[in-house]
């Protein structure tokens, strides 16, 4: 059990570092994504009718992707644990 905790901690640190430095590897893609988000927010604000109760902003919540990624990572961790034993 102790080995699993160490492996999980190391994997967590590695993934955190990777996700923090990944946008730096592709600065143009990051800039384009930011501009696209700003454009969509502006479009959502400009689409609302006068007298509406509030902004019509659509929130993107990638629950399907999160579910798939969770399942894949769970399988990978279990397979890695099986091979490590």
């Amino acid at each position: 059990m102790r080995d699993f905790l160490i492996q999980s901690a190391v994997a967590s640190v590695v993934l955190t570092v990777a996700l923090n430095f990944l946008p730096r590897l592709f600065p143009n893609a990051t800039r384009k994504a930011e501009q696209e988000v700003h454009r969509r927010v502006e479009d959502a604000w400009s689409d609302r009718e006068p007298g509406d109760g509030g902004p019509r902003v659509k929130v993107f919540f990638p629950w399907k992707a999160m579910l798939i990624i969770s399942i894949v990572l769970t399988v990978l961790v279990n397979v890695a644990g099986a091979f490590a034993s």
Side-chain angles (χ1 to χ4, degrees), residues 22-40:
L22 189 63
R24 295 174 194 232
L25 295 176
F26 305 101
N28 289 335
T30 305
R31 193 174 308 112
K32 287 178 186 176
E34 181 182 3
Q35 289 171 353
E36 181 66 19
V37 168
H38 284 291
R39 186 188 64 77
R40 287 186 181 205

Side-chain angles (χ1 to χ4, degrees), residues 42-64:
E42 289 296 324
D43 287 348
W45 277 93
S46 65
D47 284 347
R48 65 184 184 133
E49 304 273 331
D52 275 352
R56 297 171 56 196
V57 178
K58 294 180 182 177
V59 177
F60 174 70
F61 186 74
W63 66 272
K64 291 178 187 176

Side-chain angles (χ1 to χ4, degrees), residues 5-23 25 73 77:
L5 292 176
I6 292 172
Q7 291 173 350
S8 295
V10 169
S12 176
V13 170
V14 168
L15 287 173
T16 301
V17 170
L19 289 175
N20 281 315
F21 284 109
L22 189 63
L25 295 176
L73 288 177
V77 167

